[in-house]
Amino acid sequence: MSLENKVVIITGAGSGIGAASAILLAKHGASVIVADLNLKSAKSVANKINIAGGRAFAFQVDVSAFKEVELLIAQAIKNHGKLDVMINNAGIGGENQKKTAEHTLEDWDNVIAVNQTGVFYCMKVALGHMMKQGYGNIINMASLAGLKPSGYNLSYSASKFAVVGMTKSAALEYGRKNIRINAVCPGYTHSALLDKLLASRPDMSDTLKQLIPMDRFGDADEIAEAVLWLASDKSKYVTGQTITLDGGMSLL
Ligand SMILES: NC(=O)c1ccc[n+]([C@@H]2O[C@H](COP(=O)([O-])OP(=O)(O)OC[C@H]3O[C@@H](n4cnc5c(N)ncnc54)[C@H](O)[C@@H]3O)[C@@H](O)[C@H]2O)c1
C-alpha cells in the first residue's frame, strides 16, 4: 500500500496508536508530521522514523487550542505544499470508575476539550485547506466507546459518540468535494491510556478480557493497519464509515 508523496499529520503521535500509525505510514512512504502535546515524545517518534530511512517532523500542538491547530496545519502546508491526510488521534481517557453524578466538572471540560473540540478544530482547519486543494482525507480516532454504551466514564463516552457523529455528518457534507472522512473505533488496546486504567484497577485486566471474544487486548500496531488502509487510495470509495477493531467485543 503506497503512501509515496503523501503528506500526513497525525495528532497524539508521540505515543500508543498515534505513534504506531506514524511509524507504519512512514514505512509506506508518507511524510509524517508527528504532532503531540509532548514535544519530547514527538521528537523521539520522528527520530525513530528518520533513522529507519523515513521522513518525519516533530511538532508540538495542543489540539484543544484553536490557534495552535491553525499553526500546525499552516506550517505543514508551508513546508510541504499540501496536506493529503489529517489523522485526528490525540485523546485522553478521563476519570474512570465514576458514575455520572460523581463525575467532576473539570474532567468533563478536559475530556470534551481534547477528544471532541480538538477533533472539531482539526477537522475545521484541515477542511478549509483541503477545499482549496480540491481533495483530502480525514481519519478520526473514535472508540468502541463511541458506538456502544460504556458505563462509569461519561465524558469519554460522550466525546467518542461525538467523534463518530462528526465523522458521519462531515462526510455527508464533503463527499462531493473529493474529501473522505472516516473513523477508527478500537476496543481495548495496549497503550499508555489503557495502562493507566489498568494501573488504577489491576483487577480489571481479567474482567475486561472476559468481555472480549478473542480473549486479549489489541496492539497499537493492529489499529495502525486500519489507519494505513484508510489513508491509502485502496479505500478510495469509503467515506463516513467506522472501522471497529475490538477482538469481537462489539458483538456482546
Ligand atoms: N488504547 C485504547 O484502548 C483505546 C481504545 C479506543 C480508542 N482509543 C483512542 O485512541 C487514541 C490514541 O490513544 P492511545 O491509546 O494511543 O493513548 P496514548 O495515551 O498512548 O496516546 C495519546 C497521545 O495523545 C497526546 N495528547 C494528549 N492530549 C493532547 C492534546 N491536547 N494535544 C495533542 N496531543 C495530545 C498524548 O501526549 C499522547 O502522546 C485516543 O483518541 C484514544 O481515545 C484508545
Side-chain angles (χ1 to χ4, degrees):
M1 242 176 296
S2 176
L3 292 187
E4 214 58 59
N5 299 321
K6 287 200 194 292
V7 177
V8 180
I9 296 177
I10 310 182
T11 67
S15 169
I17 294 169
S21 302
I23 291 165
L24 186 65
L25 270 59
K27 206 182 272 176
H28 285 261
S31 294
V32 182
I33 293 121
V34 179
D36 204 289
L37 186 63
N38 184 334
L39 184 60
K40 202 172 154 210
S41 59
K43 278 184 174 165
S44 150
V45 172
N47 279 345
K48 197 171 168 184
I49 291 171
N50 290 326
I51 287 166
R55 276 182 308 278
F57 311 85
F59 199 96
Q60 186 168 30
V61 69
D62 176 354
V63 295
S64 67
F66 187 67
K67 291 266 174 240
E68 293 189 27
V69 171
E70 282 188 309
L71 190 64
L72 164 70
I73 295 175
Q75 277 297 122
I77 306 270
K78 188 174 166 219
N79 294 341
H80 305 279
K82 60 177 186 158
L83 173 59
D84 295 288
V85 189
M86 180 80 208
I87 302 175
N88 301 318
N89 164 80
I92 54 176
E95 286 172 349
N96 280 295
Q97 301 309 308
K98 285 201 172 151
K99 284 190 185 170
T100 300
E102 282 102 48
H103 220 85
T104 64
L105 302 186
E106 191 191 7
D107 179 70
W108 174 267
D109 288 345
N110 289 343
V111 172
I112 298 299
V114 177
N115 294 10
Q116 181 173 340
T117 309
V119 170
F120 164 61
Y121 286 169
C122 291
M123 284 177 59
K124 176 178 165 59
V125 180
L127 283 165
H129 288 284
M130 288 172 175
M131 283 292 287
K132 280 186 216 147
Q133 69 187 16
Y135 62 89
N137 184 352
I138 295 178
I139 301 166
N140 294 325
M141 196 55 63
S143 171
L144 183 56
L147 297 174
K148 58 180 281 198
S150 50
Y152 309 100
N153 198 349
L154 194 80
S155 55
Y156 189 77
S157 166
S159 71
K160 293 302 182 180
F161 267 85
V163 171
V164 171
M166 289 191 287
T167 300
K168 289 178 180 288
S169 298
L172 200 60
E173 294 170 3
Y174 289 92
R176 285 198 171 76
K177 302 294 180 189
N178 201 20
I179 301 172
R180 305 193 286 123
I181 308 166
N182 292 289
V184 175
C185 296
Y188 289 109
T189 306
H190 284 295
S191 71
L193 200 145
L194 180 64
D195 292 348
K196 198 174 149 201
L197 169 68
L198 296 179
S200 67
R201 287 284 308 276
D203 55 303
M204 271 181 76
S205 180
D206 286 343
T207 314
L208 291 178
K209 280 185 192 160
Q210 278 168 20
L211 302 171
I212 306 171
M214 290 181 75
D215 201 30
R216 67 172 177 86
F217 300 128
D219 284 324
D221 292 348
E222 293 173 310
I223 311 302
E225 291 291 344
V227 174
L228 171 65
W229 182 71
L230 285 173
S232 80
D233 294 339
K234 295 275 181 200
S235 60
K236 64 183 191 299
Y237 198 47
V238 179
T239 195
Q241 302 306 304
T242 55
I243 298 187
T244 306
L245 301 96
D246 65 349
M249 194 172 167
S250 48
L251 300 171
L252 302 173

